[in-house]
Amino acid sequence: MQNNYERKQNFNVITRTLHKTRYRNLLALFTRITAQVGGRPIKVIDVGCGVCKSFAVLNAQFSIDYTGIELRAETCDLARSRHGDIDGFEVICDSVENHFPRFDGADVVIGLESFEHIPEPIVVRTLEAIRAARVPYFYCTVPNEVGPAILIKNVGSWLMRYPRYKEYTWAETWHAFRYDLDKVTLHTTKHIGFDWRWLAQTIRQNVRITQITTSPFRLVPRSWSPSIGFVCERRDDGAP
């Protein structure tokens, strides 16, 4: 049984292709981490884990000790029904800010298409907690809601009858395309009004960004990419 988010991801071949990109990058990162952990399970914390698709993708190829943190009870229940009997799997139904001690000893923290849905003060505290715990790796992806990307996404969604464009008025799509976010609904926990560049700077203050990924191919410019990813490492440069 698929939930509503999964049905949106699998709406058609275009949406399926775009949503696969982050998992391809995730697997590449875990291949690197595996070579460094000496054969033990990789300890991963998944912030805003949803139905824990990341667990399914990773567990098929790697030995992992996985903890997902998800606020929606029905989503946690679905994740447990799928993976709850597998060793090394745990999902916590709560806000991530109540579980920052979980970051201690983690090899990697991930957040795939989730940080845009977390209130911005909690995002800041989460990144500060990752820095304080000296987590070796951090990887997250978020949608691109500004510049040419949002115009392409919303017009394309309208043409495909894919509902994501309905979050915006057409005037707001135009203003977001022009980076004029003062004329767009203020961002809260939805897509509209979200600016990945704000997140990039907040990440940069806490960990070292080693790669900014685009979708669906590496050569797509950031301004045109429907989503943006950040592959990051712990700071070892003496920064506080």
Side-chain angles (χ1 to χ4, degrees):
M1 179 184 68
Q2 293 184 336
N3 67 1
N4 186 54
Y5 181 66
E6 291 173 302
R7 286 190 290 271
K8 289 180 179 178
Q9 285 187 325
N10 294 310
F11 183 79
N12 59 27
V13 67
I14 296 174
T15 58
R16 286 193 297 272
T17 298
L18 293 175
H19 284 290
K20 284 180 180 178
T21 303
R22 58 181 171 271
Y23 298 107
R24 185 170 66 245
N25 293 328
L26 181 66
L27 291 171
L29 174 60
F30 270 66
T31 298
R32 289 171 50 196
I33 297 173
T34 296
Q36 300 174 12
V37 299
R40 63 171 174 80
I42 298 169
K43 184 176 181 182
V44 51
I45 308 295
D46 189 353
V47 178
C49 61
V51 296
C52 300
K53 181 175 179 179
S54 293
F55 172 79
V57 170
L58 292 169
N59 192 57
Q61 297 192 32
F62 302 99
S63 175
I64 60 173
D65 178 0
Y66 175 97
T67 300
I69 303 174
E70 170 61 47
L71 195 58
R72 297 166 295 179
E74 68 280 4
T75 305
C76 291
D77 290 342
L78 183 55
R80 291 190 188 102
S81 72
R82 295 177 179 178
H83 312 299
D85 59 348
I86 302 175
D87 290 340
F89 173 83
E90 180 184 12
V91 63
I92 298 169
C93 187
D94 200 0
S95 173
V96 65
E97 63 180 331
N98 298 324
H99 298 277
F100 290 156
R102 294 270 182 166
F103 294 164
D104 293 331
D107 296 299
V108 56
V109 174
I110 64 175
L112 305 188
E113 306 297 299
S114 60
F115 276 71
E116 73 275 17
H117 298 301
I118 300 174
E120 290 175 0
I122 299 178
V123 170
V124 174
R125 291 197 291 271
T126 299
L127 292 167
E128 290 173 344
I130 291 169
R131 179 185 65 181
R134 295 188 58 76
V135 178
Y137 290 95
F138 170 64
Y139 174 57
C140 76
T141 66
V142 291
N144 190 351
E145 302 291 322
V146 294
I150 191 60
L151 187 64
I152 295 168
K153 287 200 293 187
N154 282 0
V155 172
S157 297
W158 175 76
L159 291 172
M160 294 187 301
R161 296 300 183 261
Y162 180 61
R164 76 105 58 211
Y165 73 94
K166 294 182 179 180
E167 192 172 326
Y168 289 74
T169 67
W170 286 114
E172 286 175 319
T173 294
W174 176 252
H175 293 309
F177 160 67
R178 298 180 64 249
Y179 297 94
D180 192 358
L181 293 180
D182 291 324
K183 296 179 181 178
V184 177
T185 296
L186 188 67
H187 177 252
T188 53
T189 57
K190 296 183 178 180
H191 293 133
I192 189 169
F194 180 76
D195 190 341
W196 69 267
R197 300 168 301 171
W198 166 83
L199 179 62
Q201 182 62 12
T202 306
I203 292 173
R204 196 172 287 117
Q205 296 296 322
N206 292 283
V207 294
R208 184 166 62 91
I209 299 174
T210 60
Q211 182 184 9
I212 296 180
T213 64
T214 55
S215 175
F217 309 110
R218 184 177 301 176
L219 296 180
V220 174
R222 295 171 189 174
S223 61
W224 292 75
S225 177
S227 65
I228 303 290
F230 303 93
V231 181
C232 309
E233 296 181 7
R234 178 180 59 208
R235 283 193 178 277
D236 288 320
D237 56 4

PDB file of all heavy atoms in Angstrom, residues 44 49 60 65 73 85 87 93 97 100 126 202 204 226 231:
ATOM      1  N   VAL A  44      23.152   5.494  10.948  1.00  0.00           N
ATOM      2  CA  VAL A  44      22.546   6.578  10.175  1.00  0.00           C
ATOM      3  C   VAL A  44      21.296   7.079  10.889  1.00  0.00           C
ATOM      4  O   VAL A  44      20.487   6.284  11.378  1.00  0.00           O
ATOM      5  CB  VAL A  44      22.215   6.115   8.738  1.00  0.00           C
ATOM      6  CG1 VAL A  44      21.427   4.823   8.730  1.00  0.00           C
ATOM      7  CG2 VAL A  44      21.469   7.192   7.958  1.00  0.00           C
ATOM      8  N   CYS A  49      11.996  11.064   7.985  1.00  0.00           N
ATOM      9  CA  CYS A  49      12.231   9.838   7.209  1.00  0.00           C
ATOM     10  C   CYS A  49      11.039   9.371   6.393  1.00  0.00           C
ATOM     11  O   CYS A  49      11.186   8.512   5.517  1.00  0.00           O
ATOM     12  CB  CYS A  49      12.667   8.717   8.141  1.00  0.00           C
ATOM     13  SG  CYS A  49      11.432   8.280   9.400  1.00  0.00           S
ATOM     14  N   ALA A  60      19.407  -2.755   1.354  1.00  0.00           N
ATOM     15  CA  ALA A  60      19.591  -3.734   0.288  1.00  0.00           C
ATOM     16  C   ALA A  60      21.058  -3.886  -0.113  1.00  0.00           C
ATOM     17  O   ALA A  60      21.433  -4.910  -0.704  1.00  0.00           O
ATOM     18  CB  ALA A  60      18.764  -3.328  -0.930  1.00  0.00           C
ATOM     19  N   ASP A  65      22.810   0.563  10.792  1.00  0.00           N
ATOM     20  CA  ASP A  65      22.060   0.716  12.043  1.00  0.00           C
ATOM     21  C   ASP A  65      21.261   1.998  11.871  1.00  0.00           C
ATOM     22  O   ASP A  65      21.800   3.096  11.970  1.00  0.00           O
ATOM     23  CB  ASP A  65      23.037   0.803  13.216  1.00  0.00           C
ATOM     24  CG  ASP A  65      22.342   1.001  14.552  1.00  0.00           C
ATOM     25  OD1 ASP A  65      21.101   1.076  14.579  1.00  0.00           O
ATOM     26  OD2 ASP A  65      23.051   1.105  15.571  1.00  0.00           O
ATOM     27  N   ALA A  73       2.274  10.296  12.724  1.00  0.00           N
ATOM     28  CA  ALA A  73       2.080   8.977  13.316  1.00  0.00           C
ATOM     29  C   ALA A  73       1.687   7.931  12.283  1.00  0.00           C
ATOM     30  O   ALA A  73       2.187   6.797  12.303  1.00  0.00           O
ATOM     31  CB  ALA A  73       1.012   9.053  14.413  1.00  0.00           C
ATOM     32  N   ASP A  85      10.299  -5.530  11.557  1.00  0.00           N
ATOM     33  CA  ASP A  85      10.849  -6.818  11.986  1.00  0.00           C
ATOM     34  C   ASP A  85      12.276  -7.047  11.502  1.00  0.00           C
ATOM     35  O   ASP A  85      12.822  -8.141  11.644  1.00  0.00           O
ATOM     36  CB  ASP A  85       9.960  -7.965  11.501  1.00  0.00           C
ATOM     37  CG  ASP A  85       9.820  -7.996   9.980  1.00  0.00           C
ATOM     38  OD1 ASP A  85      10.217  -7.013   9.324  1.00  0.00           O
ATOM     39  OD2 ASP A  85       9.311  -9.009   9.455  1.00  0.00           O
ATOM     40  N   ASP A  87      16.293  -6.357  11.735  1.00  0.00           N
ATOM     41  CA  ASP A  87      17.319  -5.918  12.680  1.00  0.00           C
ATOM     42  C   ASP A  87      17.981  -4.634  12.177  1.00  0.00           C
ATOM     43  O   ASP A  87      18.233  -4.475  10.984  1.00  0.00           O
ATOM     44  CB  ASP A  87      18.389  -7.001  12.838  1.00  0.00           C
ATOM     45  CG  ASP A  87      17.878  -8.230  13.579  1.00  0.00           C
ATOM     46  OD1 ASP A  87      16.858  -8.112  14.282  1.00  0.00           O
ATOM     47  OD2 ASP A  87      18.502  -9.297  13.441  1.00  0.00           O
ATOM     48  N   CYS A  93       8.538   8.465  16.377  1.00  0.00           N
ATOM     49  CA  CYS A  93       7.479   9.387  15.989  1.00  0.00           C
ATOM     50  C   CYS A  93       7.534  10.606  16.908  1.00  0.00           C
ATOM     51  O   CYS A  93       6.952  10.613  17.997  1.00  0.00           O
ATOM     52  CB  CYS A  93       6.118   8.691  16.075  1.00  0.00           C
ATOM     53  SG  CYS A  93       4.765   9.699  15.424  1.00  0.00           S
ATOM     54  N   GLU A  97      13.936  17.800  17.214  1.00  0.00           N
ATOM     55  CA  GLU A  97      14.580  18.611  18.242  1.00  0.00           C
ATOM     56  C   GLU A  97      14.559  17.936  19.607  1.00  0.00           C
ATOM     57  O   GLU A  97      15.321  18.320  20.499  1.00  0.00           O
ATOM     58  CB  GLU A  97      13.920  19.993  18.328  1.00  0.00           C
ATOM     59  CG  GLU A  97      12.478  19.968  18.748  1.00  0.00           C
ATOM     60  CD  GLU A  97      11.872  21.357  18.808  1.00  0.00           C
ATOM     61  OE1 GLU A  97      12.616  22.318  19.065  1.00  0.00           O
ATOM     62  OE2 GLU A  97      10.653  21.478  18.575  1.00  0.00           O
ATOM     63  N   PHE A 100      18.139  15.192  19.671  1.00  0.00           N
ATOM     64  CA  PHE A 100      19.489  15.551  19.245  1.00  0.00           C
ATOM     65  C   PHE A 100      20.567  14.644  19.845  1.00  0.00           C
ATOM     66  O   PHE A 100      21.597  14.405  19.202  1.00  0.00           O
ATOM     67  CB  PHE A 100      19.788  17.006  19.566  1.00  0.00           C
ATOM     68  CG  PHE A 100      19.018  17.995  18.720  1.00  0.00           C
ATOM     69  CD1 PHE A 100      18.776  19.288  19.175  1.00  0.00           C
ATOM     70  CD2 PHE A 100      18.559  17.646  17.461  1.00  0.00           C
ATOM     71  CE1 PHE A 100      18.084  20.202  18.391  1.00  0.00           C
ATOM     72  CE2 PHE A 100      17.869  18.550  16.666  1.00  0.00           C
ATOM     73  CZ  PHE A 100      17.626  19.841  17.141  1.00  0.00           C
ATOM     74  N   THR A 126      18.950  21.947  14.453  1.00  0.00           N
ATOM     75  CA  THR A 126      19.354  20.609  14.011  1.00  0.00           C
ATOM     76  C   THR A 126      20.760  20.622  13.440  1.00  0.00           C
ATOM     77  O   THR A 126      21.595  19.766  13.765  1.00  0.00           O
ATOM     78  CB  THR A 126      18.359  20.081  12.962  1.00  0.00           C
ATOM     79  OG1 THR A 126      17.049  19.996  13.538  1.00  0.00           O
ATOM     80  CG2 THR A 126      18.769  18.692  12.466  1.00  0.00           C
ATOM     81  N   THR A 202      23.137  28.261   5.884  1.00  0.00           N
ATOM     82  CA  THR A 202      23.008  27.739   7.246  1.00  0.00           C
ATOM     83  C   THR A 202      23.813  26.460   7.400  1.00  0.00           C
ATOM     84  O   THR A 202      24.473  26.249   8.435  1.00  0.00           O
ATOM     85  CB  THR A 202      21.527  27.486   7.562  1.00  0.00           C
ATOM     86  OG1 THR A 202      20.772  28.677   7.308  1.00  0.00           O
ATOM     87  CG2 THR A 202      21.346  27.108   9.025  1.00  0.00           C
ATOM     88  N   ARG A 204      26.459  25.721   5.670  1.00  0.00           N
ATOM     89  CA  ARG A 204      27.865  26.120   5.554  1.00  0.00           C
ATOM     90  C   ARG A 204      28.430  26.622   6.884  1.00  0.00           C
ATOM     91  O   ARG A 204      29.632  26.510   7.146  1.00  0.00           O
ATOM     92  CB  ARG A 204      27.962  27.207   4.480  1.00  0.00           C
ATOM     93  CG  ARG A 204      29.337  27.488   3.955  1.00  0.00           C
ATOM     94  CD  ARG A 204      29.256  28.429   2.770  1.00  0.00           C
ATOM     95  NE  ARG A 204      28.745  27.773   1.569  1.00  0.00           N
ATOM     96  CZ  ARG A 204      27.611  28.099   0.942  1.00  0.00           C
ATOM     97  NH1 ARG A 204      26.843  29.091   1.431  1.00  0.00           N
ATOM     98  NH2 ARG A 204      27.233  27.461  -0.138  1.00  0.00           N
ATOM     99  N   PRO A 226      15.420  20.855 -10.495  1.00  0.00           N
ATOM    100  CA  PRO A 226      14.205  20.793  -9.671  1.00  0.00           C
ATOM    101  C   PRO A 226      14.481  20.542  -8.201  1.00  0.00           C
ATOM    102  O   PRO A 226      13.656  20.852  -7.347  1.00  0.00           O
ATOM    103  CB  PRO A 226      13.413  19.639 -10.288  1.00  0.00           C
ATOM    104  CG  PRO A 226      14.418  18.819 -11.016  1.00  0.00           C
ATOM    105  CD  PRO A 226      15.465  19.773 -11.498  1.00  0.00           C
ATOM    106  N   VAL A 231      26.063  17.398  -0.111  1.00  0.00           N
ATOM    107  CA  VAL A 231      26.913  16.362   0.476  1.00  0.00           C
ATOM    108  C   VAL A 231      27.934  17.082   1.343  1.00  0.00           C
ATOM    109  O   VAL A 231      28.672  17.951   0.859  1.00  0.00           O
ATOM    110  CB  VAL A 231      27.624  15.528  -0.607  1.00  0.00           C
ATOM    111  CG1 VAL A 231      28.489  14.443   0.044  1.00  0.00           C
ATOM    112  CG2 VAL A 231      26.604  14.906  -1.552  1.00  0.00           C
TER     113      VAL A 231
END
